[in-house]
Amino acid sequence: MSAVHTQSVEEVLTNHRTTSAGLPPAEAAQRLERHGLNELRETISRPAWHMLLAQFREPLILILVAAAIISLFLGDFVESIAILAIVFLFGVLGFIQEYRAEKAMAALRQLSSPVVRVRRQGELIEIPSRHLVPGDIVLLEAGNIVPADLRLIHGVELRLLESALTGESEAVRKETAALSKRSLPLGDRRNLAYMGTVVVHGRGAGVVVATGMQTELGKIADMIQGIESVRTPLQRKLAQVGQHLSLAGLGAALALMAMSLLRGEAFTTTLLTAVSLLVAVIPEGLPAVITATLALGGRRMLKRHALIRKLPAVETLGAVTVICSDKTGTLTENRMTVTHLQTRHHAVSMRGTTTAPAEETQSETAPLLLLAALCNDAHLTFEKAGEPPSLIGDPTETALLLAAEHAGIPCQSLAQELPRIREFAFDSDRKRMTTLHASSASDTPLPPCLHAPVVAAVKGSPDDLLAHATHVLDHGRIVPLQDHDRQHFITVNARLAEAGIRVLGVAFRCIDAPPPPTATAADIETQLVFCGLAGLLDPPRDEVRHAIARSHAAGIRTIMITGDHPLTAAAIAQRLRLAPDGAELRVLAGTELAALADAELEQQCEQINVYARVTPHDKLRIISALQKRGHIVAMTGDGVNDAPALKRADIGVAMGITGTDVAKESAAMVLLDDNFATIVAAIEEGRTIFDNLVRFIKFSFGGNLGKVLIMLGAPLAGISVLPLRPLHLLWLNLLTDGLMGLGLGLEASEPDAMARPPRHPDAAILDRPAILHVSWMGLFICISSLLLAGIWIRLPHAGDEWQTVLFSAIGFAQIGQAWGLRSLTPRLFRFRANYTLVGLTLLTLALQLGVVYLPPLARAFKLHPLPPAALGATAALGVFTFIVVHLQRWLQQRVATRNRGAPQ
């Protein structure tokens, strides 16, 4: 591809055996098989063998290996081998969890691959960018990330930001002509668009000349598509907790060694006891469970149409206090329909009734709809006679195309009959879009008012168009625009907006000759002829009202941020009950927002429910003001200009259907259905995942505290020897705690998950009730297990089974604690289905009993088969633990629910 920039468009198409109509589907399939997927190799993904080896370089593994060496030194070859076997099993378990997490995130990365518009055999279709092949014709527009290396064959005001590849911070204007110099730097090859660069303005088309690792980006391999592999804040906090526990365990082990040596005990026995205590303190299964729960939580969110692109979003979602949402498509159905047309004299309802005869209204509305169809980037195609057309493009623009088509305007042929020769794309500053069309060669019968060599079609904000208009269309004639005309349109605009209807203005200008290349939008968008208004209805989504009510109950505010008219936004907000019950709906317009200083906005942002007519810069100010007030902000966006706000928000949420590639790349989460209710569902899922992580931490820490207290308190129960060997503790920590912990990570949400205020992200992982649970649970396991072992020692004819009783009592108590910590339901001792936990419980029971009753394992663990009475007593302890924990939590939640419902 080194010289492709020196070739003409025709040469490039010929050399790649394609045409401007695109490849046939069969040929594209063959090329995909030959060239492979259009993706960069993921250098962040490690091979499986590397993951497995990494498990055995952890400090914990070295401690366990030390325990095995000590056992070997003491002459216990069998125990040493058993410890090493469990170390290997631990490594395999950690590998399986990390591998599952990696696979889960890889699946999410594939789903986050952008969709591109290509032309194949003359048809415009959308495909995943991974399926692009050399020779494909790709269409580009503002907001797209270039999906492969392209040789541009068409461009209109096309500018690309190539800083990701060249470091150049300024957008580069592109062209299609062949370049003469062969050895040009990448940044000077103005007719090429490189993979990973961003379209910031205009539109164009190009033929794919390189894909995947053959692109310029692939060659230097300094950018990776998809999700960064980062440790989440929760993982970092838990790593610190693990370090603190390890230091505490080391201190306790050294203190125990010192006391034992002062009492004259043998050094080797003392050392083994100290290592046992250290093994008891460290929650070995914690890292694997946390990583797997977060990654699999992302998969669970995917089932609810929320695609997680950055793993920290899983935990941050549970802390969100404010959702800043766009209106169109998120709070509404995004099914735009033209419902009203307003000309100078006539109001036309598109629902079947008009205020004037059909012929008269047709002559009035035809120019308006024709111009709206011309100033339009959507595409309409009829695949089969009698079937609805297929539409590709922005919902507002597709609605205008349909309205024009229904009025008898042949939208499919407009591009040929009235070719677009230039355009000025919509931007948030001008609030309008303009296209220039050559009309002199058109065979389409045009209204007399549009007879001119060049027609500029303009659509956008009615207020802005009226400010730039000097004339108005009246029964096909161009007459001066009077003040009462302006006021009439402004009044109609306000009336429609109050009814929740989005309103666009349409205008035009006839030009005697194509403007020079240096002409700007300001040169063209002046002395406009105002045609009228088009009202579009996008009804609120049925499920959003309920979702907003749920967010209110969860202590989450919902704020609408929109570019629409304040009255339109307020009407939709009222229908959705955006303001909490009893609160006044406050709307702030963009002009009022601009007049506020940052400090004033920070003071007022707590009371404002709707921001209307805002700019991208306004969104940044709103987010900053809310964050300074201590809020955790989720922000939705779909356009290229929304990218800064999506990055600034704590959770950037991009639209999966209407969102641009740039918005999706900037976001932490993508809504696959563009539905506000999905955000609330994702927040609930985020709270559930965090609850499950805390659930496992309480379970693990409570059990580990119990084992530590047993090691320290055994002499008080009359046990003068080592109560539990390192192998016993390792088995209980890894198998019993690890397997049950995995099941707890998949529990359903608590009944009050969306009835309590959000947690603060900087809050401690374990709050006061959680610390109390760990404390009393540790004491309970210690006292009850030692009590059973102590009773067994004192029974007549008691053998050496006391250690097996202690070992089994801890195992059954932990199983009981796990079931007691399950997600609650309104009814006592009733649970939602969690078949994974049921299966893991049966597996844990089988393993626990196998260690006791299978002779080879029992000999390795130095355990003895328990008589039925002893087994029954230890199993009864597990059942009793379950009852106590479950009853305590159920009563605690009942009290909390009653307190939340009590009047303040």
Side-chain angles (χ1 to χ4, degrees):
M1 124 167 204
S2 58
V4 73
H5 60 279
T6 64
Q7 300 171 4
S8 67
V9 170
E10 292 75 16
E11 288 174 326
V12 172
L13 293 175
T14 301
N15 292 340
H16 285 81
R17 300 193 309 280
T18 187
T19 68
S20 59
L23 296 169
E27 175 64 20
Q30 290 178 7
R31 294 192 185 189
L32 181 62
E33 187 174 347
R34 186 163 64 249
H35 293 278
L37 292 172
N38 174 41
E39 56 188 7
L40 301 181
R41 282 196 291 268
E42 297 178 9
T43 55
I44 60 169
S45 296
R46 297 176 295 167
W49 64 268
H50 193 280
M51 285 188 212
L52 181 60
L53 288 181
Q55 307 300 318
F56 300 99
R57 292 200 297 263
E58 296 292 329
L60 172 64
I61 291 291
L62 301 180
I63 294 173
L64 298 178
V65 170
I69 294 172
I70 292 170
S71 295
L72 184 63
F73 178 74
L74 294 175
D76 199 333
F77 179 76
V78 175
E79 180 167 342
S80 177
I81 294 299
I83 290 177
L84 291 176
I86 292 185
V87 165
F88 178 74
L89 191 60
F90 165 68
V92 171
L93 178 65
F95 162 73
I96 290 172
Q97 295 307 323
E98 187 172 347
Y99 186 74
R100 288 181 68 195
E102 187 73 20
K103 294 292 284 184
M105 297 311 295
L108 297 183
R109 277 195 289 272
Q110 287 192 5
L111 285 172
S112 66
S113 175
V115 172
V116 296
R117 293 193 299 164
V118 301
R119 195 178 293 124
R120 284 187 175 170
Q121 211 164 23
E123 291 188 15
L124 185 64
I125 61 173
E126 292 182 334
I127 63 170
S129 64
R130 301 168 69 240
H131 294 166
L132 283 176
V133 297
D136 264 329
I137 305 299
V138 177
L139 274 63
L140 300 173
E141 61 183 15
N144 286 162
I145 293 176
V146 179
D149 283 0
L150 310 177
R151 168 61 166 92
L152 296 171
I153 61 174
H154 172 68
V156 178
E157 299 288 326
L158 187 63
R159 293 201 295 270
L160 271 67
L161 189 63
E162 298 181 336
S163 56
L165 192 66
T166 65
E168 175 59 49
S169 60
E170 293 292 326
V172 178
R173 183 181 292 275
K174 291 296 181 175
E175 56 190 57
T176 59
L179 302 175
S180 57
K181 291 185 179 180
R182 187 182 183 88
S183 57
L184 284 173
L186 295 182
D188 292 338
R189 301 178 188 180
R190 298 301 179 94
N191 55 13
L192 296 181
Y194 299 108
M195 181 184 199
T197 59
V198 179
V199 182
V200 295
H201 192 271
R203 60 186 179 87
V207 58
V208 175
V209 293
T211 59
M213 297 304 293
Q214 300 305 311
T215 63
E216 295 296 333
L217 192 59
K219 291 175 184 176
I220 59 175
D222 65 350
M223 181 184 293
I224 297 173
Q225 289 181 336
I227 305 162
E228 297 177 359
S229 179
V230 295
R231 296 182 77 190
T232 74
L234 180 63
Q235 287 173 316
R236 289 194 292 269
K237 284 183 183 179
L238 288 175
Q240 292 174 353
V241 170
Q243 291 172 1
H244 295 156
L245 281 176
S246 300
L247 291 174
L250 183 60
L254 292 174
L256 183 63
M257 280 187 67
M259 290 187 293
S260 299
L261 290 173
L262 288 174
R263 289 200 302 266
E265 296 180 11
F267 175 77
T268 52
T269 304
T270 300
L271 184 60
L272 187 60
T273 304
V275 171
S276 299
L277 181 63
L278 190 57
V279 171
V281 168
I282 301 172
E284 290 89 347
L286 185 61
V289 171
I290 296 300
T291 301
T293 302
L294 287 174
L296 296 176
R299 293 284 293 270
R300 286 171 61 170
M301 288 189 180
L302 184 60
K303 294 178 181 178
R304 305 183 79 163
H305 307 293
L307 172 62
I308 298 298
R309 297 192 67 258
K310 298 173 184 175
L311 199 56
V314 176
E315 63 190 69
T316 309
L317 274 167
V320 166
T321 59
V322 175
I323 305 172
C324 294
S325 176
D326 191 12
K327 176 184 72 67
T328 303
T330 311
L331 298 175
T332 59
E333 294 182 0
N334 207 24
R335 289 190 305 169
M336 288 284 189
T337 305
V338 177
T339 57
H340 294 79
L341 297 175
Q342 178 69 50
T343 61
R344 191 186 192 200
H345 296 294
H346 302 292
V348 181
S349 171
M350 302 295 282
R351 292 171 178 166
T353 60
T354 64
T355 58
E359 295 81 4
E360 191 173 359
T361 53
Q362 181 73 8
S363 63
E364 284 281 290
T365 57
L368 191 156
L369 289 173
L370 175 60
L371 291 164
L374 288 172
C375 188
N376 199 309
D377 284 333
H379 296 269
L380 175 150
T381 56
F382 290 90
E383 297 178 356
K384 292 183 180 179
E387 291 189 2
S390 62
L391 301 164
I392 297 177
D394 177 79
T396 299
E397 297 199 324
T398 57
L400 292 170
L401 276 188
L402 277 177
E405 188 73 31
H406 291 158
I409 297 171
C411 296
Q412 276 188 290
S413 61
L414 285 181
Q416 290 76 35
E417 297 292 337
L418 296 163
R420 186 184 297 190
I421 58 174
R422 196 168 173 190
E423 67 184 63
F424 299 96
F426 175 89
D427 64 55
S428 55
D429 295 326
R430 291 166 35 246
K431 294 185 173 63
R432 54 189 173 272
M433 170 185 177
T434 297
T435 57
L436 278 68
H437 302 264
S439 64
S440 56
S442 171
D443 294 330
T444 301
L446 293 176
C449 59
L450 298 180
H451 285 174
V454 177
V455 174
V458 190
K459 76 173 189 295
S461 163
D463 296 341
D464 288 281
L465 288 191
L466 285 167
H468 288 80
T470 56
H471 292 75
V472 65
L473 200 61
D474 181 6
H475 295 297
R477 297 178 297 112
I478 297 174
V479 299
L481 181 68
Q482 306 295 331
D483 289 341
H484 66 83
D485 293 320
R486 278 196 177 86
Q487 190 56 49
H488 170 65
F489 284 117
I490 291 171
T491 302
V492 173
N493 181 23
R495 186 177 71 247
L496 292 174
E498 284 178 348
I501 294 173
R502 185 182 184 188
V503 185
L504 288 175
V506 178
F508 70 95
R509 179 184 173 189
C510 292
I511 305 174
D512 294 334
T518 56
T520 64
D523 298 328
I524 304 300
E525 296 167 349
T526 185
Q527 298 180 351
L528 298 178
V529 180
F530 195 78
C531 281
L533 306 173
L536 301 98
L537 181 63
D538 184 15
R541 293 180 184 264
D542 294 334
E543 64 273 24
V544 167
R545 184 168 168 178
H546 173 65
I548 289 175
R550 291 189 70 209
S551 67
H552 287 161
I556 303 169
R557 286 179 60 206
T558 300
I559 296 174
M560 181 192 296
I561 301 181
T562 178
D564 275 354
H565 195 285
L567 293 175
T568 305
I572 297 296
Q574 291 283 10
R575 292 187 199 176
L576 295 173
R577 296 187 180 177
L578 204 63
D581 291 340
E584 178 189 0
L585 183 74
R586 286 200 55 189
V587 181
L588 189 71
T591 52
E592 299 170 309
L593 175 60
L596 292 178
D598 289 344
E600 293 175 305
L601 177 60
E602 189 178 334
Q603 291 298 318
Q604 295 189 28
C605 66
E606 294 286 2
Q607 290 77 42
I608 298 169
N609 310 102
V610 177
Y611 294 88
R613 286 283 193 252
V614 296
T615 65
H617 177 67
D618 292 336
K619 293 182 179 182
L620 286 175
R621 292 188 62 205
I622 295 165
I623 292 172
S624 297
L626 289 167
Q627 288 174 331
K628 288 178 182 177
R629 299 284 296 187
H631 287 290
I632 306 300
V633 182
M635 171 77 195
T636 70
D638 56 7
V640 62
N641 290 330
D642 290 329
L646 291 173
K647 288 184 177 180
R648 176 74 61 85
D650 298 281
I651 294 284
V653 183
M655 302 297 105
I657 299 174
T658 60
T660 61
D661 297 340
V662 174
K664 293 174 187 176
E665 288 289 322
S666 303
M669 183 172 82
V670 178
L671 299 184
L672 300 181
D673 58 359
D674 289 12
N675 192 339
F676 175 86
T678 300
I679 303 176
V680 179
I683 289 174
E684 180 182 15
E685 195 66 48
R687 291 189 176 191
T688 299
I689 291 168
F690 188 83
D691 285 350
N692 287 342
L693 293 175
V694 173
R695 199 189 314 275
F696 170 71
I697 294 168
K698 288 162 61 177
F699 163 75
S700 179
F701 285 15
N704 282 16
L705 178 61
K707 295 162 201 164
V708 170
L709 294 176
I710 287 171
M711 297 296 295
L712 296 174
L716 300 177
I719 300 173
S720 57
V721 297
L722 187 65
L724 291 169
R725 303 182 69 83
L727 185 57
H728 300 155
L729 293 165
L730 190 55
W731 177 271
L732 291 169
N733 276 14
L734 285 179
L735 275 298
T736 308
D737 294 4
L739 291 177
M740 297 302 295
L742 286 176
L744 285 177
L746 298 175
E747 274 293 290
S749 61
E750 296 280 359
D752 67 342
M754 294 298 284
R756 59 179 187 257
R759 64 175 178 84
H760 196 280
D762 294 331
I765 297 172
L766 296 180
D767 56 11
R768 187 170 175 271
I771 293 173
L772 286 175
H773 173 88
V774 170
S775 302
W776 79 259
M777 195 70 241
L779 283 170
F780 178 85
I781 290 176
C782 170
I783 293 170
S784 58
S785 300
L786 285 177
L787 185 62
L788 281 180
I791 291 173
W792 189 263
I793 290 175
R794 288 167 176 80
L795 288 177
H797 310 296
D800 296 329
E801 296 91 355
W802 67 267
Q803 196 171 51
T804 308
V805 170
L806 182 61
F807 174 80
S808 299
I810 297 171
F812 280 116
Q814 276 293 76
I815 294 173
Q817 186 198 180
W819 277 77
L821 286 171
R822 290 195 62 190
S823 176
L824 298 172
T825 63
R827 297 183 65 183
L828 198 60
F829 301 117
R830 292 294 178 92
F831 304 100
R832 297 188 182 94
N834 183 349
Y835 298 114
T836 302
L837 181 63
V838 173
L840 290 172
T841 301
L842 294 175
L843 178 60
T844 302
L845 285 171
L847 292 170
Q848 190 77 5
L849 294 174
V851 166
V852 174
Y853 289 103
L854 294 177
L857 291 176
R859 283 195 299 271
F861 279 78
K862 291 184 171 56
L863 297 174
H864 302 276
L866 291 178
L871 180 62
T874 55
L877 174 60
V879 175
F880 182 65
T881 305
F882 158 66
I883 293 173
V884 170
V885 175
H886 179 72
L887 190 60
Q888 179 264 334
R889 293 182 61 242
W890 190 81
L891 291 173
Q892 185 181 40
Q893 189 179 78
R894 296 272 291 185
V895 172
T897 302
R898 190 178 300 114
N899 290 341
R900 277 196 297 268
Q904 302 296 317

